[in-house]
Amino acid sequence: MNEYRLFIDGEWVAAQSGIIADDLDPATDAVFARVHQAGPEDLEMALAAAYRARESWGATLAREREEILLRAAEVLAARIPEVAEVLRREGGATFGKSMFEASFVVNLLRSAAGECRRIFGATMPSDSPGLVSMTVRRPLGVVAGIAPFNFPFLLATKKVALALAAGNTFVLKPAGTTPVAGLLIAEIFQQAGLPRGVLNVVPGPGARIGEALATDPRVRLVTFTGSTEVGRRIASLAAPLFKKVTLELGGKSPLIVLRDADIPYAVDAACFGIFLHQGQVCMANSRIIVEAPIYAAFCAAFAAKVKTLQVGDPHDPHTIIGPLIQRGQCEVVHGHVQDAVGKGARLLCGGTSEGAFYQPTVLAGVTADMQVYRDESFGPLVSVIEAADAEAALHIANDTSFGLSSALITNDLQLAFDLSLRLEAGMVHVNDSSVYDEPHVPFGGTRNSGMGREGGHWSMEEMTETKWITIQLGKRHFPF
Ligand code: NAD
């Protein structure tokens, strides 16, 4: 069994805290790895290293950062099966999800490399004769990233790669259940020749290490992906220091299926959009809102497909539903099912569990008084809700405190565009599921789903700050 140390200042170091935690395989409960846990002294070393490295890294040429990011992409491209296996063992990812996640990151690193050369400023006309007035975008210095368990490699690398592209140094705290995914990022960048101190990875307890990152004055931006509750806590800790935050939080994303939809296609989109990674996806379409004329037909076809999904061993390439990250999450999901059924919802399939495996579950007749209507279940549970018409569907879709992703299926593109503008969500996908991402797009949500956008150019804006510089050519006339 592998033992993983902390990655601080370019070295793999034993935790001063002396704590080494078991990293469990959620499918079997077996110990997959042992991982050193950072304490306050370890975090101080990581922050000091990132702070020391910030000037030299911030002064590197765009082509030097680009070269390291491209090399990291090549290193990863040669290690995809190994990374994917870690994602299956410690995260319960299925074979397909693990291969997708690892491969996506190769493109993400290449895309981040391209951003190095696109950090643009502007020149402005001036009211003073002979004054050259311009903006430059400067790196912030030290950026801290706090990552979730569900796409632990992809989401953490997105933060790291774009921060490094912008000339920042980084301290990463991976999720407690998926620390090795974060440590692999350090291995890859070390192999790619990243100078010491530029990236530091410190697994450790969320409340202590995460909150210390949010309050340390050397950290200029906290980029967080995780639950709304923790995001709110981080925002409140960072606010008194006027620290920048980007928050990618939870969701309860709608998929609207309008009456002209092709039902088999809508079923496929709905199924992928909720059951990828057992529903543990922030942008999962956990509320499917179907127009009345096709509601019964959609429910029947959807439940029939969901019953065929293979549940079990995540290493079997045919498995669609693997384990939830922890057994306890099955209780959360089951609580939502019981509450809904108790209030009159119909269970079309699923509703049972074994170990950390929860059967894919569909509820029909879900109404606004049910917990599953409002709260994120973060499991393989979906509500199918009937709407009288397109306006009613839009009203139900917006009847949530979240606003991450959304989707709608119709051939009426005029109506689709009108609804897209009125859906209160950061992202809308027409004729698709709500689950979609690319490296260079503005990913993010509104309301309780967070603030800021991640990806490509939008991350570069978040991760740099604008400085105004003027140069007076010739002499200026001063009034006294
Ligand atoms: P979580 O909020 O429990 O944990 C996220 C990270 O925060 C972990 O690294 C954890 O250790 C750390 N943390 C915990 N308490 C903390 C504290 N008090 N201060 C600072 N850090 C702390 O989330 P999770 O269970 O890992 O992930 C699931 C959640 O993440 C879901 O709500 C999901 O919707 C959301 N998510 C959002 C996106 C997005 O892009 N919007 C993407 C993936 C996941």
Side-chain angles (χ1 to χ4, degrees), residues 145-151 155 158-159 173-178 204-214 224-231 233-234 237 247-251 280-283 325 329 376 378 402 404 427 443-445 449-450 454:
I146 303 175
F149 74 82
N150 62 337
F151 276 78
L155 295 170
K158 198 189 251 192
K159 296 175 185 305
K173 194 207 85 62
T177 45
T178 51
R208 285 185 64 193
I209 299 301
E211 295 197 9
L213 287 170
F224 172 79
T225 301
S227 62
T228 300
E229 185 193 355
V230 174
R233 172 94 185 124
I234 288 172
L237 291 171
L247 302 170
E248 300 288 355
L249 310 177
Q280 301 169 117
V281 177
C282 54
M283 50 186 156
I325 192 67
Q329 191 56 27
E376 195 178 36
F378 229 54
F402 294 108
L404 188 58
M427 305 178 280
F443 189 97
S449 292
E454 265 193 348

Side-chain angles (χ1 to χ4, degrees), residues 262-283:
D262 176 79
I263 292 180
Y265 179 77
V267 162
D268 288 349
C271 196
F272 171 78
I274 181 60
F275 295 118
L276 175 68
H277 200 37
Q278 298 77 264
Q280 301 169 117
V281 177
C282 54
M283 50 186 156

